[in-house]
Amino acid sequence: MSRPRIVIVGAGFAGYRTARTLSRLTRHQADITLLNPTDYFLYLPLLPQVAAGILEPRRVSVSLSGTLPHVRLVLGEADGIDLDGHTVHYTGPEGEEGTLPFDRLVLAAGSVNKLLPIPGVAEHAHGFRGLPEALYLRDHVTRQVELAAAADDRAECAARCTFVVVGAGYTGTEVAAHGAMYTDAQVRKHPMRTGMRPRWMLLDVAPRVMPEMDERLSRTAERVLRQRGVDVRMGTSVKEATHDGVVLTDGSTVDTRTLVWCVGVRPDPLVESLGLPMERGRLLVDPHLQVPGRPELFACGDVAAVPDLNQPGQYTPMTAQHAWRHGKVCAQNVAASLGIGERRAYRHRDMGFVVDLGGAKAAANPLGLPMSGPAAGAVTRGYHLAAMPGNRVRVAADWLLDAVLPRQAVQLGLVRSWSVPLESSSPEVARVPGSPKRPGEATGPAGQRPDGEDAGTQPGGEPAKGQPGGEPAKNQPGGEPAKEQPGGEPAKNQPGGEPAGSRSHGGRAKGGQSGSPRASGKPRRAVEAAGPRPARGGSGKPGRAPRASGAGSAGKRPTAPSGGPSRSAGPPTDPGPEPPANQPPPGPDIAPGPVKRTDGRAAEGDS
């Protein structure tokens, strides 16, 4: 008799805990498969410290294969679930498709950025849900301070030194607190930046900072923020986001190049495609984390509306603490459905919350005891070390080095603004040129971001040609070589070329929704049904060298066909030296020439 097959979708707090507990309970009596877009578990509470340069990215990333040796890891995103056929359809990181059969299915897909119908936010703001977004914010903030120091215009300098964070919950408060310390350290010891004062703003419609916490801890956090110069504005939010700044609900305008969106999260829209009872976007389950009427289906974490037995009529909130506990109970109930152990209902005891405000400052209430100052800081960091499933020694070492050494404020340019769109169903994965469209990402008309970079790019797509961060403009000095020439751009739909134009990135959904096919109740597909277009000027067959299109790299002057001399009247002009055959494309160390811009602004790049 074959072993039962268990498929877990998502490796966040709930999915990772479910896989780890199930692996221990079943003891090789079941085949456990974990489907996740990345090969690591991300410890989200420490993500603000990655953006502030305290921790390196790998410190908060725990290897799935290294810590779950008896669990099969499949890289990909679930885009369709056939409950009657007991299969999960997924799309891999390189566009390949596959299916996973199951006898038990655990949905722990997590959450994505929560969007509001505010004009310009989807185009000009960035979220804070994954490592790519944290790395982008770290580079972006560093770059803005450096550009501000070199700016001659005081207004431009002030705009670049202004950073707006929307959402005064746990994430937004920690981002503003750590960000203020990071930028202050950048300008403190640099002679050209003497007198610069970075300005951080924290906005929220709530009446106080972190309304989820005890009022005393809320006052502590706000006091620390104001001591660091953070402009805290409660009862205020963004009315409109533009290229040059934001318009607030109180009518004032703030010139800025940075808008960080931390207003909250919403469940992954995958569960909406199932057609099962929902509660505010979450799948309704019973206290045993099982979907009523579907004995093979379990759900936990942010995608599950789990009844709160301590508060009848309420559901457990979408927090990491609950998701971690959901995973353990869910694993026990899945094992019980296979005849291993007994079922149990989910009950929880509030252990308190901790908020790291940077340095030795924190706000915490362990077991309901309010704490602040260095004592709260020690409790906060001790809690994180105890809760992390790995990398504890490395994290502690980074904290120690940060206490005795200055931070390395450098921009690596590894993550570009267009690769971390706010409207994304997978904030944990950065977009790359040539990759298949990631389901759930809606892209609107490409406007320039408020940071002044990547003008003309589309979220989730390639940078516009001839714009900063994209390809050099054609017919410009140092511009793009002719397509399909040696050293030029590969033909479209050829290996290494840019994605086919048929893979459209779509338009941004109205009302600030994700525009995901899943959100409309239909399974998402990363690879469209339309086949690839033939390559321009080439044979259209992969593996065959494209023919020359006859366009030269200098001035795009037509050249004579290979069959004979040109028939045009007049003496032929010298086309210039031809590039040698098999010439490799220019390397990254060759700087492009001037880039022609259409918006009148100085050219700026990401790196």
Side-chain angles (χ1 to χ4, degrees):
M1 183 178 179
S2 61
R3 296 186 298 182
R5 298 161 298 182
I6 304 173
V7 174
I8 303 170
V9 178
F13 280 89
Y16 180 86
R17 185 79 183 276
T18 301
R20 192 173 75 170
T21 307
L22 265 175
S23 176
R24 177 178 55 84
L25 292 176
T26 56
R27 297 182 183 276
H28 309 290
Q29 298 180 37
D31 293 329
I32 305 173
T33 301
L34 182 60
L35 177 64
N36 197 59
T38 64
D39 65 345
Y40 60 83
F41 159 75
L42 177 63
Y43 190 76
L44 273 171
L46 293 181
L47 203 58
Q49 297 191 25
V50 175
I54 300 174
L55 297 177
E56 290 302 315
R58 288 183 297 176
R59 305 297 185 256
V60 299
S61 310
V62 179
S63 170
L64 296 178
S65 57
T67 56
L68 302 174
H70 304 298
V71 175
R72 176 194 174 202
L73 173 63
V74 175
L75 294 179
E77 298 179 63
D79 50 34
I81 298 175
D82 184 359
L83 294 178
D84 296 329
H86 284 211
T87 57
V88 175
H89 183 277
Y90 70 91
T91 301
E94 297 181 352
E96 69 278 10
E97 298 184 355
T99 57
L100 297 173
F102 65 84
D103 297 307
R104 299 290 186 274
L105 175 62
V106 179
L107 292 179
S111 55
V112 297
N113 291 310
K114 180 181 180 181
L115 302 177
L116 299 177
I118 300 176
V121 165
E123 294 82 8
H124 300 288
H126 287 283
F128 201 79
R129 291 288 302 164
L131 269 180
E133 294 170 322
L135 293 176
Y136 167 75
L137 181 61
R138 176 178 173 178
D139 276 2
H140 171 77
V141 170
T142 306
R143 177 172 53 253
Q144 294 307 308
V145 173
E146 292 172 348
L147 292 175
D152 296 328
D153 183 27
R154 296 183 62 86
E156 180 185 356
C157 177
R160 292 193 180 279
C161 279
T162 301
F163 308 95
V164 179
V165 181
V166 184
Y170 296 104
T171 302
T173 300
E174 290 186 345
V175 168
H178 283 280
M181 292 186 64
Y182 182 61
T183 52
D184 286 346
Q186 277 188 272
V187 303
R188 186 178 302 122
K189 297 182 179 180
H190 198 290
M192 294 185 61
R193 300 167 188 168
T194 303
M196 288 178 53
R197 178 60 178 173
R199 177 191 181 194
W200 285 79
M201 297 183 64
L202 182 61
L203 312 176
D204 203 308
V205 295
R208 57 188 175 90
V209 175
M210 294 187 301
E212 309 91 347
M213 295 190 71
D214 183 87
E215 189 172 354
R216 290 171 292 182
L217 298 178
S218 177
R219 290 196 301 265
T220 298
E222 183 172 352
R223 182 175 66 253
V224 172
L225 291 173
R226 294 190 184 278
Q227 288 174 352
R228 293 180 183 165
V230 179
D231 185 1
V232 181
R233 298 191 186 185
M234 294 293 97
T236 306
S237 188
V238 173
K239 182 179 180 181
E240 181 182 0
T242 65
H243 161 68
D244 295 317
V246 293
V247 180
L248 305 184
T249 53
D250 59 6
S252 60
T253 301
V254 178
D255 294 335
T256 181
R257 301 293 187 270
T258 307
L259 182 59
V260 187
W261 193 254
C262 302
V263 298
V265 296
R266 60 188 177 92
D268 191 295
L270 170 67
V271 296
E272 297 181 4
S273 65
L274 300 178
L276 297 174
M278 310 285 292
E279 172 63 30
R280 295 186 178 182
R282 294 195 284 175
L283 192 63
L284 278 174
V285 297
D286 60 22
H288 300 90
L289 308 181
Q290 194 169 21
V291 177
R294 290 284 181 177
E296 77 284 0
L297 181 59
F298 296 78
C300 54
D302 291 348
V303 298
V306 182
D308 191 342
L309 299 182
N310 295 330
Q311 301 181 22
Q314 302 293 325
Y315 298 94
T316 58
M318 298 167 60
T319 64
Q321 189 178 113
H322 281 287
W324 187 253
R325 298 174 182 177
H326 285 175
K328 180 179 179 180
V329 175
C330 183
Q332 292 172 337
N333 291 334
V334 170
S337 69
L338 301 176
I340 305 172
E342 298 181 357
R343 298 176 67 197
R344 56 170 295 190
Y346 177 74
R347 291 182 179 272
H348 70 93
R349 180 188 176 192
D350 189 1
M351 304 295 292
F353 296 93
V354 294
V355 178
D356 185 7
L357 301 176
K361 302 295 181 66
N365 60 342
L367 301 177
L369 177 63
M371 301 178 64
S372 61
V379 169
T380 299
R381 296 202 167 184
Y383 169 80
H384 287 317
L385 286 179
M388 287 194 68
N391 298 342
R392 296 186 181 96
V393 175
R394 290 186 170 93
V395 170
D398 275 3
W399 283 341
L400 178 61
L401 292 176
D402 180 70
V404 298
L405 297 176
R407 299 183 193 177
Q408 294 177 301
V410 294
Q411 50 165 323
L412 302 177
L414 301 178
V415 181
R416 312 294 287 275
S417 64
W418 52 267
S419 64
V420 283
L422 181 63
E423 295 182 285
S424 172
S425 64
S426 297
E428 66 273 19
V429 180
R431 291 285 295 157
V432 295
S435 66
K437 174 184 174 184
R438 185 158 285 112
E441 292 177 1
T443 57
Q448 190 180 32
R449 292 230 190 269
D451 49 24
E453 66 205 43
D454 296 334
T457 63
Q458 293 199 7
E462 283 195 72
K465 296 179 182 177
Q467 297 293 344
E471 298 178 25
K474 295 187 178 75
N475 300 324
Q476 294 292 333
E480 172 194 10
K483 287 180 169 50
E484 303 168 28
Q485 292 288 345
E489 179 190 47
K492 296 182 184 294
N493 294 325
Q494 294 291 339
E498 63 183 37
S502 61
R503 292 185 180 179
S504 170
H505 294 292
R508 184 169 61 88
K510 297 181 180 179
Q513 297 301 322
S514 67
S516 168
R518 297 184 300 166
S520 61
K522 299 179 181 180
R524 58 181 181 173
R525 288 291 183 270
V527 180
E528 299 190 11
R533 297 184 302 174
R536 291 190 295 175
S539 64
K541 297 180 180 180
R544 180 178 298 180
R547 299 178 182 177
S549 64
S553 61
K556 306 296 186 214
R557 188 181 61 79
T559 60
S562 60
S566 172
R567 298 183 181 182
S568 59
T573 59
D574 184 12
E578 291 290 334
N582 301 322
Q583 176 183 351
D589 56 334
I590 301 179
V595 178
K596 184 177 180 181
R597 298 182 60 91
T598 58
D599 54 5
R601 297 176 56 86
E604 300 160 10
D606 261 311
S607 57

